[in-house]
């Protein structure tokens, strides 16, 4: 794999939590293998004082545990910890720290980081929401699924503070709800899936979902006959991303095996159909862009057309 200037072809697992999160983090790391080939990023929601997680968690894993600094290189088989009073972003294979965007009230550091991952990380993504107050992270789960990622929440009766996983589950965008030991097992299985661990959507020779694969045509025909929805003209990368996601969730090792599963399980056909239809849930996904339009662009247009008539065409889709 290559980093900086090239594709990042390993998955990132973001683990978001707050109150009661330490218990979840330690039990999770205890149950994870040290060579999964993923980067684990722990984003703690309440961070008014300096974190000690980078000193505590090495007792529970053989993986290196690092406190994130600006421009730190993201690497697999490591655990990274967000520092206090910073929002976390990714760009070109590095972590980027910015002043926290919500200095008052409940922070949204998990949501900020997940959305940055969805926009800027080439490899696969897994979002895990564990014990904590408030609902940080929930608003970004559908963005993770949109790019082919997988979402997991800690089972409520096993969380010391269930608010955060409960908010995640309420979105309807969580794939698995599990106690920590089973959650760790599921992470290990997904990370080891041959298609999930590799770069998605490159439409290259050897890709798991080739446009010439008769199993892909059969899959789309099965979805069409069951749901009356024809996805055969969808962009191949979109279909690849969503089908690969479902294959990883169901632990199907190849497309032929997944097709057999679909034939035997109408519920999975419906689940794939819903995945293919995932929609962006918020029009204002980048509010800073609209703020720039309001402050800089629209006033110039209005001034240039003073006394005249302005017409705007807004596309409906």
């Amino acid at each position: 794999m290559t980093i900086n200037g090239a594709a990042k072809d390993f998955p990132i697992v973001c683990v978001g939590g707050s109150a009661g999160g330490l218990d979840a983090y330690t039990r999770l790391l205890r149950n994870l293998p040290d060579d999964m080939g993923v980067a684990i990023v722990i984003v703690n929601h309440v961070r008014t004082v300096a974190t000690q997680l980078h000193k505590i968690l090495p007792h529970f894993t053989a993986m290196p545990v690092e406190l994130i600094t600006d421009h730190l290189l993201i690497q697999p088989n490591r655990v990274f910890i967000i520092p206090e009073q910073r929002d976390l972003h990714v760009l070109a294979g590095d972590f980027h720290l910015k002043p926290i965007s919500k200095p008052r009230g409940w922070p949204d550091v998990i949501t900020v980081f997940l959305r940055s991952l969805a926009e800027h990380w080439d490899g696969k993504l897994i979002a895990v929401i564990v014990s904590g107050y408030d609902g940080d992270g929930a608003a970004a789960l559908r963005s993770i699924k949109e790019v082919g990622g997988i979402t997991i929440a800690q089972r409520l009766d096993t969380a010391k503070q269930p608010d955060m996983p409960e908010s995640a589950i309420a979105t309807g965008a969580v794939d698995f709800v599990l106690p920590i030991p089973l959650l760790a097992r599921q992470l290990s299985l997904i990370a080891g899936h041959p298609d999930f661990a590799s770069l998605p959507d490159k439409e290259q020779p050897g890709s798991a979902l080739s446009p010439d694969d008769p199993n892909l045509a059969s899959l789309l025909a099965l979805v069409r006959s069951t749901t009356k929805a024809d996805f055969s003209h969808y962009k191949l990368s979109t279909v690849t991303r969503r089908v690969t996601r479902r294959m990883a969730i169901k632990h199907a090792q190849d497309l032929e095996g997944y097709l057999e599963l679909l034939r035997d399980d109408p519920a999975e056909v419906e689940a794939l159909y819903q995945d293919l239809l995932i929609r962006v849930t918020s029009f204002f996904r980048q509010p800073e862009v609209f703020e720039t339009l309001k402050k800089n662009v629209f006033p110039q247009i209005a001034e240039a057309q003073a006394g005249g008539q302005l017409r705007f065409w807004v596309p409906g889709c």
Side-chain angles (χ1 to χ4, degrees):
M1 68 187 66
T2 52
I3 314 284
N4 285 342
K8 290 75 67 180
D9 60 353
F10 56 89
I12 285 183
V13 178
C14 171
V15 183
S18 66
L22 178 59
D23 176 70
Y25 307 148
T26 56
R27 289 193 291 130
L28 180 63
L29 292 178
R30 270 200 194 113
N31 285 279
L32 287 177
D34 304 323
D35 57 353
M36 289 171 57
V38 306
I40 298 174
V41 185
I42 294 179
V43 183
N44 211 41
H45 166 75
V46 179
R47 299 170 297 107
T48 56
V49 296
T51 183
Q52 298 298 310
L53 288 176
H54 59 299
K55 298 177 181 178
I56 298 170
L57 295 182
H59 297 290
F60 302 92
T61 179
M63 288 183 282
V65 179
E66 298 183 60
L67 185 65
I68 295 170
T69 55
D70 204 23
H71 299 292
L72 179 67
L73 184 69
I74 306 171
Q75 296 176 278
N77 298 322
R78 291 175 182 265
V79 180
F80 299 96
I81 310 296
I82 189 174
E84 66 281 355
Q85 294 302 309
R86 291 292 184 272
D87 278 339
L88 183 61
H89 301 258
V90 295
L91 190 65
D94 295 348
F95 288 112
H96 289 252
L97 296 172
K98 297 182 180 180
I100 193 166
S101 57
K102 290 180 66 176
R104 302 178 187 276
W106 288 107
D108 58 0
V109 290
I110 303 170
T111 296
V112 167
F113 182 59
L114 289 177
R115 284 177 172 162
S116 179
L117 285 176
E119 186 171 355
H120 296 295
W121 187 256
D122 291 341
K124 294 289 189 178
L125 302 172
I126 304 175
V128 179
I129 305 296
V130 299
S131 175
Y133 287 116
D134 194 44
D136 192 10
L141 294 180
R142 199 162 292 277
S143 296
I144 295 298
K145 294 182 73 169
E146 173 103 355
V147 295
I150 293 175
T151 55
I152 309 176
Q154 183 178 2
R155 202 173 75 188
L156 301 183
D157 62 350
T158 69
K160 290 194 171 184
Q161 174 47 250
D163 285 6
M164 198 173 286
E166 187 173 31
S167 295
I169 294 165
T171 67
V174 170
D175 295 308
F176 297 100
V177 179
L178 300 166
I180 294 297
L182 294 181
L183 194 158
R185 172 65 175 160
Q186 193 64 244
L187 277 179
S188 182
L189 289 172
I190 293 169
H193 189 279
D195 293 323
F196 194 83
S198 62
L199 270 175
D201 310 336
K202 295 305 177 185
E203 303 180 20
Q204 58 191 359
S207 175
L209 298 183
S210 164
D212 301 321
D213 190 333
N215 288 310
L216 181 58
S218 298
L219 180 150
L220 295 175
L222 177 60
V223 172
R224 182 172 63 247
S225 66
T226 305
T227 67
K228 311 305 179 187
D230 184 1
F231 295 103
S232 60
H233 299 292
Y234 261 42
K235 185 179 178 183
L236 179 63
S237 61
T238 299
V239 174
T240 298
R241 186 163 57 238
R242 307 292 165 75
V243 172
T244 300
R245 201 187 89 82
R246 293 306 309 176
M247 288 172 62
I249 288 173
K250 304 302 289 188
H251 311 307
Q253 294 300 301
D254 54 40
L255 188 55
E256 183 177 5
Y258 183 61
L259 180 57
E260 286 302 313
L261 188 155
L262 287 171
R263 287 170 174 154
D264 294 337
D265 186 358
E268 179 58 23
V269 178
E270 177 64 22
L272 175 59
Y273 168 65
Q274 293 298 330
D275 263 25
L276 288 166
L277 289 178
I278 284 178
R279 302 170 180 87
V280 176
T281 56
S282 174
F283 182 72
F284 293 98
R285 295 182 80 191
Q286 296 177 304
E288 67 277 5
V289 173
F290 289 91
E291 191 64 25
T292 300
L293 286 172
K294 184 174 74 173
K295 289 182 177 179
N296 301 329
V297 178
F298 292 152
Q300 293 182 32
I301 294 174
E303 184 178 348
Q305 296 293 324
Q309 186 181 65
L310 287 175
R311 294 185 180 185
F312 294 88
W313 283 263
V314 180
C317 61

